[in-house]
Amino acid sequence: MAEVALQGRDFAQPAITSRSKALAKLRLSDAVFFQLTRGSAIAVLIILSGIIASLLYGATPALRQFGFGFLVSERWNPVTENFGAAAPIYGTVVTSFIAMLIAVPLGLLIALFLTELCPMWLRRPIGIAVELLAGIPSIIYGIWGLFMFAPFLQRTLQPALIGVFGDVPVLSTLFAGPPYGIGILTAGLILAIMVLPFVTSISRDVFEAVPPVLKEAAYGIGCTTWEVFRRVVVPYTRVGVIGGVMLALGRALGETMAVTFVIGNAHRISGSLLAPGTTISATIANEFTEAVGDLYTSALIALGLLLFVITFIVLAAARYMLMRLERRIG
Amino acid sequence: MTLYSRRRGKNAVVLGLSVAATAIGLGWLALILGALIWEAFLGLSLQVFTEMTPPPGSAGGLLNPIVGSLIMTGLAVVIGTPLGMLAGTYMAEYGRHSRLTHVVRFINDILLSAPSIVIGLFIYEIFVYQVGHFSGWSGALALAVIVIPVVVRTTEDMLLLVPDTLREASASIGMPRAHMISHVCYRAASAGLITGVLLAVARISGETAPLLFTALNNQFFSFNLNAPMASLPVVIFQFALSPYKEWQALAWVGALIITFAVLALSIAARALGSKEPL
């Protein structure tokens, strides 16, 4: 009824005014929608700056108290409220390094297999499997690491390492001590499995972007598959591969749950890879809810700020490199 | 040995290594999933879905964390999706070549892979600390911050796939831009947009770190969003690290539920996304 009445009124009025009214209404809704979308885009920027600002604000008491010493001090004593970030930084860097040491060659070889060797019918299933596995939550890797992988390492790999390298000068300290099962090495290995799908899927995408003409030309003059890969594919995609590796590194540095389960959470820097340690994210996850006192909380937030800054730099570099490759391929 | 056979030998070695690497990678991951299924089926029963989390040393289920996870995930999607979609719309429709778009894209890509524990700290600072207590709301907010970049990314990508001829056609019949976007572009890209939301849900349903100090945990059944709320990942974390056999068994079951939920969501997203656009 109301609609009919409305239409009737519209007819009664001169056509010009109703038309301009409708147009004005449309123009208004258009402007509102535009501002809404623009505001949302800006909100994304605000969220990022909000993260940085809130972490800076929260970290200020600890940073003011300890200054630069926060970065280099190994002490972490909640009772005397004396905090230093050296042990978590060391753990984060070493576990990520172990992870990349294993995941990068493995991932590149798998990508080589997928792009050059794999029969067509198998390519899609393996590719999908890799991508699905990249989506499995890290807590699953953590629980597997704790109950299956760590006891396994404790029984097999770790005693073997201690036995084999026991008499070698440098390596004996690197693999010293009782086999705990959990520790820095175990965390590094779990991280390696976790980032493997990332390295693989990005390098595969990048390798597939190489123009077939280039590869065919190389095959045409008699190159072997390895030579084509080494001399044509890798040079062409180098920037992209490095970008992908750094993206995976960003993941490894910030990974929390998989590491927290198996690192042992011990605040000390030990020469041995078999000893328990801690990482920045594991420290925050383990201690934040139990932190009493403003300085303790602030020290943990300062750790978070540190982690964010490190990953931000790594990820920004990764994106920059991937963008450069994209631009070149067009 | 001739140069030719040396080259062939080298080639064979590397190719052999790459096959071995694939076998190791896939085998390793199969091992994890196998262990998960094996361990979890021992503890899987109807009880898991009907009973609350037990006190140490007795049997029980995972009803309250499952419900808590569903509530917080749902809220996070409701909060994060509109914002992400609108931002993605701006980037693909209005400011395709503007400076703002480039900056937002760069920042968004970084947020996409920023450590999730830092997002937990952020929400703790701006919400939990100000309010003075842990709550389901703060957990949902933390998850929403993770949803946004995923949705922004897929919305932009999917809208860019919509052919410009459609836009030109609707402009030529005098359609205002807002109408064109909502009635033509969104509709043409609808499968892709839903894919983005599904991917975002898959991403947050296993997130633990941002919930640890926002939603905390709750041993009891609760719909109260102003109180601490249980969630599946946090309960898994707590139970797995406990010394009690019953809790550890429940942690495995929870892990299996999450894995299956995530895999189902990713497969659904994939099936939807692989359909021909338009």
Side-chain angles (χ1 to χ4, degrees):
Chain A
M1 275 311 275
E3 260 181 62
V4 175
L6 212 75
Q7 274 177 1
R9 205 189 57 197
D10 275 0
F11 273 113
Q13 278 176 343
I16 304 290
T17 47
S18 81
R19 185 181 160 75
S20 69
K21 241 186 209 163
L23 275 180
K25 207 186 270 172
L26 287 177
R27 216 169 283 141
L28 181 72
S29 72
D30 222 20
V32 168
F33 191 68
F34 170 68
Q35 291 304 336
L36 214 60
T37 59
R38 193 154 165 276
S40 305
I42 294 170
V44 173
L45 297 185
I46 293 177
I47 289 174
L48 184 86
S49 33
I51 292 177
I52 296 174
S54 74
L55 290 179
L56 264 178
Y57 176 76
T60 314
L63 294 179
R64 195 170 287 156
Q65 176 85 19
F66 304 116
F68 182 70
F70 185 71
L71 291 180
V72 292
S73 163
E74 199 194 326
R75 274 188 301 272
W76 187 268
N77 192 337
V79 181
T80 58
E81 300 217 309
N82 196 343
F83 301 105
I89 294 174
Y90 170 82
T92 301
V93 171
V94 172
T95 50
S96 301
F97 181 74
I98 296 174
M100 300 321 279
L101 205 64
I102 295 165
V104 170
L106 264 185
L108 289 181
L109 282 172
I110 296 176
L112 167 67
F113 175 80
L114 283 176
T115 50
E116 301 293 333
L117 280 182
C118 188
M120 272 301 172
W121 57 270
L122 203 59
R123 216 169 266 198
R124 243 181 90 76
I126 295 186
I128 291 174
V130 167
E131 268 158 48
L132 287 182
L133 290 165
I136 289 184
S138 60
I139 192 163
I140 309 297
Y141 293 93
I143 191 172
W144 180 77
L146 179 68
F147 288 121
M148 303 274 164
F149 197 48
F152 173 76
L153 287 182
Q154 190 174 19
R155 281 196 310 273
T156 55
L157 181 69
Q158 294 189 344
L161 284 174
I162 295 170
V164 171
F165 297 115
D167 302 324
V168 189
V170 182
L171 293 175
S172 66
T173 47
L174 208 55
F175 298 110
Y180 289 107
I182 53 174
I184 296 213
L185 181 67
T186 314
L189 289 174
I190 295 272
L191 273 182
I193 315 171
M194 266 208 66
V195 295
L196 185 60
F198 292 106
V199 179
T200 307
S201 74
I202 294 178
S203 1
R204 185 203 52 192
D205 291 349
V206 167
F207 290 163
E208 271 175 356
V210 177
V213 190
L214 285 184
K215 287 199 279 189
E216 280 156 16
Y219 278 123
I221 56 167
C223 288
T224 61
T225 310
W226 164 243
E227 284 160 353
V228 171
F229 182 70
R230 178 71 192 79
R231 308 280 171 202
V232 178
V233 175
V234 169
Y236 191 85
T237 56
R238 187 176 290 135
V239 196
V241 170
I242 296 174
V245 166
M246 293 185 79
L247 212 58
L249 177 63
R251 291 263 171 178
L253 287 169
E255 182 42 54
T256 311
M257 297 326 289
V259 174
T260 307
F261 274 101
V262 293
I263 189 97
N265 204 34
H267 274 280
R268 65 185 128 108
I269 297 177
S270 167
S272 170
L273 291 181
L274 305 183
T278 191
T279 66
I280 295 179
S281 50
T283 304
I284 302 173
N286 268 320
E287 302 181 19
F288 197 81
T289 41
E290 280 138 37
V292 280
D294 286 344
L295 200 59
Y296 195 0
T297 311
S298 174
L300 287 169
I301 293 175
L303 277 182
L305 177 68
L306 206 63
L307 178 66
F308 192 63
V309 170
I310 296 172
T311 48
F312 188 95
I313 294 169
V314 170
L315 291 172
R319 288 294 168 194
Y320 176 71
M321 285 175 173
L322 286 172
M323 243 149 70
R324 252 178 62 186
L325 183 78
E326 246 167 53
R327 213 168 290 158
R328 199 168 73 189
I329 291 173
Chain B
M1 210 189 339
T2 62
L3 178 65
Y4 179 61
S5 61
R6 204 159 58 222
R7 284 174 54 207
R8 292 214 14 182
K10 210 187 219 171
N11 189 45
V13 168
V14 175
L15 296 189
L17 279 178
S18 85
V19 174
T22 312
I24 290 174
L26 290 178
W28 208 338
L29 293 158
L31 207 65
I32 295 180
L33 289 181
L36 179 66
I37 292 171
W38 175 254
E39 284 287 329
F41 266 117
L42 297 178
L44 200 59
S45 67
L46 200 63
Q47 233 184 4
V48 170
F49 300 99
T50 55
E51 286 185 20
M52 306 296 138
T53 46
S58 56
L62 293 168
L63 179 64
N64 49 330
I66 291 175
V67 171
S69 272
L70 287 177
I71 292 175
M72 284 192 285
T73 306
L75 270 177
V77 171
V78 168
I79 299 169
T81 307
L83 195 68
M85 281 235 288
L86 287 171
T89 306
Y90 174 81
M91 292 158 74
E93 298 287 341
Y94 289 108
R96 207 177 277 190
H97 303 290
S98 79
R99 209 183 167 77
L100 178 65
T101 299
H102 285 286
V103 176
V104 171
R105 191 180 296 142
F106 194 76
I107 295 298
N108 190 63
D109 279 350
I110 286 173
L111 280 178
L112 201 59
S113 23
S116 55
I117 193 154
V118 170
I119 289 163
L121 283 179
F122 167 58
I123 297 295
Y124 177 87
E125 276 285 294
I126 64 161
F127 192 86
V128 179
Y129 187 72
Q130 311 300 335
V131 179
H133 57 86
F134 300 104
S135 64
W137 277 116
S138 57
L141 270 183
L143 293 180
V145 174
I146 300 173
V147 167
I148 293 169
V150 182
V151 175
V152 170
R153 184 67 192 264
T154 43
T155 305
E156 194 204 356
D157 287 352
M158 291 304 150
L159 285 178
L160 285 177
L161 285 180
V162 175
D164 278 338
T165 42
L166 278 183
R167 296 195 179 91
E168 284 156 11
S170 32
S172 72
I173 58 167
M175 221 178 201
R177 212 157 176 186
H179 278 236
M180 173 189 93
I181 292 169
S182 56
H183 287 78
V184 178
C185 298
Y186 279 167
R187 212 167 276 184
S190 61
L193 298 179
I194 296 170
T195 304
V197 177
L198 286 179
L199 284 177
V201 175
R203 172 82 200 276
I204 59 172
S205 53
E207 281 291 352
T208 320
L211 293 176
L212 283 175
F213 27 81
T214 50
L216 204 67
N217 200 351
N218 191 343
Q219 229 197 309
F220 305 103
F221 193 84
S222 161
F223 282 120
N224 185 0
L225 282 164
N226 281 317
M229 193 173 246
S231 64
L232 213 37
V234 175
V235 167
I236 294 175
F237 180 54
Q238 190 199 343
F239 280 16
L241 285 174
S242 77
Y244 312 110
K245 277 271 164 289
E246 290 85 358
W247 277 17
Q248 291 178 358
L250 274 179
W252 277 108
V253 176
L256 185 72
I257 295 174
I258 289 190
T259 309
F260 268 106
V262 169
L263 287 183
L265 282 166
S266 328
I267 291 171
R270 201 158 245 294
L272 210 65
S274 66
K275 261 188 217 150
E276 285 297 304
L278 302 183

